[in-house]
Amino acid sequence: MALIDAPEQTADGKTAPTVSFVSLGCPKALVDSERILTQLRAEGYGITRSHHGADLVIVNTCGFLDSAKAESLAAIGDAMAENGKVIVTGCMGAQPEEIRGHFPGVLAVTGPQQYETVVAAVHEAAPPAHDPFVDLVPPQGLKLTPRHYAYLKISEGCNNRCSFCIIPQLRGDLVSRPAAEVMREAEKLVKAGVKELLVISQDTSAYGVDIRYAESPWRDQPLKAKFADLSGALGELGVWVRMHYVYPYPHVDEVIPLMAERKILPYLDIPFQHASPRVLKAMRRPGNQDKTLERIRRWREICPDITLRSTFIVGFPGETDEDFELLLDWLAEAQLDRVGCFQYEPVQGATANGLGLEAVPDTVKAQRHKRFMAAQQAISTRKLKAKVGKRLPVIIDEAGPSVAKGRSMADAPEIDGNVYVASRRPLRQGDIVTVKIERSDAYDLHGVAV
Ligand code: SF4
């Protein structure tokens, strides 16, 4: 059995139960998984990667797209077949009938963020071996990410109502964590050796709106629960701080100088989703793309090497050829560094399905996706080529005998490219080294440690 963390033996020699865990979905779901695992580990449970021989399996599901649902159902099916004692949580847990329809034998189904309910279900199925004298968990909690980077979730839920998205139905309205609580978690992570914090939420720039930007005491000073204030405080911790899921609201401009000063990474992950005003309106997305282009121009004036990453949806109902051409023109003008593109999927329960707009045929969606990706690939290749000859700081993700794999400030883990680093001296995971870039391809850079 591949144990991640072995169960404790209690004073009377009994071994605590083991739990196998499957974590699917986005970084937000990953943070939920970490919280559940941290709690279970604190109670002495062993954590294993193998369903076989575990006392039970927890599957943290993702229900955002139909393809994610299918993956979740397959994972539950595997767990039922290999183990049989299964607890389901996460986004798909908000639709228990669907899960029970497929797998009537699951032990419990809970929705997203219902940590206590998951833990209570575990207690019932495999009671913990009680040993109050042992402190099993490191103060920063258990992380599923490698030790040198960690996700920092600053809020739950979302106040927007984008018509293609069911996250607000699944996760509710925005609930922001107090700024001091976020900072305490960030500080613990840094003390435990984390070198890069990835700030996540559903809508990072809306942070604090729900609690009216309430102040809380941090290092003897009041700290506002506000995107710019929190960014400034995180920037004082001396590690890389990367911002995800930011919307181009006007107050985002306030953090660009922090990026220029390298207090936080010059990196913004902004899901624009489209550029045609008609499609954006049907999507119920905030923002006017002309003003956004203007804003991007200003950001680049203040911080010329800012990296902009985004995601787009093609084939949204009612998207015409004209809308799509407009999107390509916008993309050519915006010159974003990193881009992901999805073909629209009519997620069950999304308001977009009831707008009466004509569905785009799958073949057209696929063609548009291909054209979009080809256009972006040309931009990305050009942008990466411009980095050849530069010296860039690179964080090492994986050591290797002669070539290590890392990321520059422009690359978030999992979603962006890599920097392959040749080095005479051994590089360790989490090292930040200066790399002279020698060549590039469409997504990655290659260089040598100096
Ligand atoms: S901003 Fe829109 S897409 Fe993102 S979680 Fe909120 S409703 Fe969904």
Side-chain angles (χ1 to χ4, degrees):
M1 181 167 28
L3 282 169
I4 303 173
D5 277 293
E8 289 299 309
Q9 282 219 327
T10 57
D12 57 3
K14 281 186 195 150
T15 304
T18 53
V19 174
S20 176
F21 205 102
V22 181
S23 186
L24 301 170
C26 62
K28 285 150 274 196
L30 187 73
V31 173
D32 292 348
S33 297
E34 287 172 349
R35 287 203 189 154
I36 295 166
L37 284 175
T38 297
Q39 180 61 34
L40 292 177
R41 194 69 191 106
E43 294 174 358
Y45 285 87
I47 311 296
T48 165
R49 286 188 206 281
S50 164
H51 297 342
H52 210 69
D55 289 275
L56 58 89
V57 182
I58 300 174
V59 184
N60 189 5
T61 58
C62 174
F64 184 46
L65 295 173
D66 289 346
S67 46
K69 271 191 190 172
E71 190 190 5
S72 296
L73 288 172
I76 300 168
D78 289 348
M80 288 299 288
E82 287 173 38
N83 184 288
K85 287 171 90 180
V86 179
I87 294 169
V88 178
T89 185
C91 283
M92 255 202 99
Q95 294 153 339
E97 336 64 55
E98 192 168 349
I99 291 166
R100 291 209 183 277
H102 283 87
F103 305 104
V106 294
L107 296 177
V109 181
T110 74
Q113 297 146 45
Q114 293 179 358
Y115 319 113
E116 292 81 8
T117 326
V118 176
V119 172
V122 174
H123 289 169
E124 202 172 318
H130 183 57
D131 192 340
F133 301 112
V134 189
D135 182 10
L136 298 161
V137 176
Q140 78 279 12
L142 287 181
K143 296 280 130 204
L144 291 174
T145 43
R147 202 175 121 86
H148 63 292
Y149 67 80
Y151 293 97
L152 184 65
K153 196 186 215 178
I154 59 172
S155 62
E156 303 275 8
C158 182
N159 284 348
N160 298 324
R161 293 293 181 265
C162 304
S163 61
F164 55 82
C165 178
I166 53 166
I167 297 266
Q169 291 167 41
L170 296 175
R171 302 202 155 217
D173 280 339
L174 180 75
V175 179
S176 300
R177 298 174 66 194
E181 189 186 306
V182 174
M183 289 307 300
R184 277 195 294 274
E185 183 179 344
E187 191 180 47
K188 270 189 208 164
L189 289 165
V190 172
K191 279 192 183 146
V194 164
K195 303 275 178 57
E196 179 177 1
L197 293 167
L198 303 132
V199 176
I200 56 165
S201 69
Q202 307 293 347
D203 178 359
T204 296
S205 34
Y207 173 62
V209 171
D210 56 310
I211 49 175
R212 299 189 182 179
Y213 310 117
E215 291 177 344
S216 47
W218 169 245
R219 293 185 176 167
D220 300 328
Q221 298 285 330
L223 179 64
K224 272 192 187 158
K226 212 170 181 194
F227 179 50
D229 300 54
L230 184 71
S231 303
L234 289 170
E236 295 301 322
L237 295 179
V239 294
W240 285 15
V241 176
R242 194 181 295 280
M243 294 296 171
H244 287 282
Y245 315 118
V246 176
Y247 284 72
Y249 302 134
H251 67 271
V252 172
D253 298 0
E254 294 169 32
V255 303
I256 310 297
L258 293 175
M259 296 183 177
E261 291 166 33
R262 293 290 187 269
K263 294 279 188 198
I264 62 173
L265 293 183
Y267 181 101
L268 273 181
D269 175 8
I270 310 186
F272 290 118
Q273 309 296 17
H274 213 282
S276 155
R278 257 175 32 83
V279 178
L280 285 168
K281 196 164 169 219
M283 286 179 167
R284 304 211 180 129
R285 297 287 291 178
N288 165 326
Q289 296 311 97
D290 284 337
K291 281 202 190 134
T292 304
L293 281 176
E294 182 45 42
R295 183 158 287 132
I296 290 175
R297 261 192 291 277
R298 253 185 293 131
W299 291 346
R300 286 188 174 132
E301 269 167 34
I302 301 167
C303 182
D305 59 354
I306 189 170
T307 296
L308 297 175
R309 141 166 276 279
S310 190
T311 49
F312 292 84
I313 298 173
V314 293
F316 188 78
E319 183 193 63
T320 60
D321 285 342
E322 204 186 348
D323 292 320
F324 179 66
E325 294 302 329
L326 206 148
L327 172 60
L328 288 185
D329 289 347
W330 190 90
L331 195 68
E333 190 143 358
Q335 292 285 306
L336 305 177
D337 300 80
R338 303 283 189 186
V339 164
C341 179
F342 300 95
Q343 296 178 49
Y344 176 74
E345 275 186 37
V347 175
Q348 207 185 348
T351 19
N353 303 337
L355 293 178
L357 296 166
E358 204 182 328
V360 175
D362 284 350
T363 46
V364 178
K365 275 189 213 170
Q367 280 161 6
R368 288 182 184 166
H369 180 262
K370 206 168 157 201
R371 278 187 67 200
F372 182 99
M373 290 313 287
Q376 179 56 34
Q377 191 169 329
I379 297 173
S380 168
T381 307
R382 224 174 21 250
K383 291 215 137 197
L384 287 180
K385 210 169 183 182
K387 297 189 182 189
V388 174
K390 291 198 170 156
R391 286 165 187 251
L392 302 177
V394 169
I395 189 164
I396 301 300
D397 285 336
E398 278 172 38
S402 57
V403 177
K405 192 164 133 186
R407 289 173 292 107
S408 73
M409 290 184 176
D411 310 302
E414 316 278 343
I415 50 176
D416 292 329
N418 294 299
V419 184
Y420 292 90
V421 186
S423 173
R424 289 219 188 112
R425 61 181 193 276
L427 300 175
R428 286 164 311 172
Q429 189 185 59
D431 282 350
I432 296 179
V433 291
T434 303
V435 176
K436 182 161 184 262
I437 304 301
E438 295 185 324
R439 73 189 166 84
S440 66
D441 51 41
Y443 301 106
D444 300 321
L445 296 170
H446 304 258
V448 63
V450 292

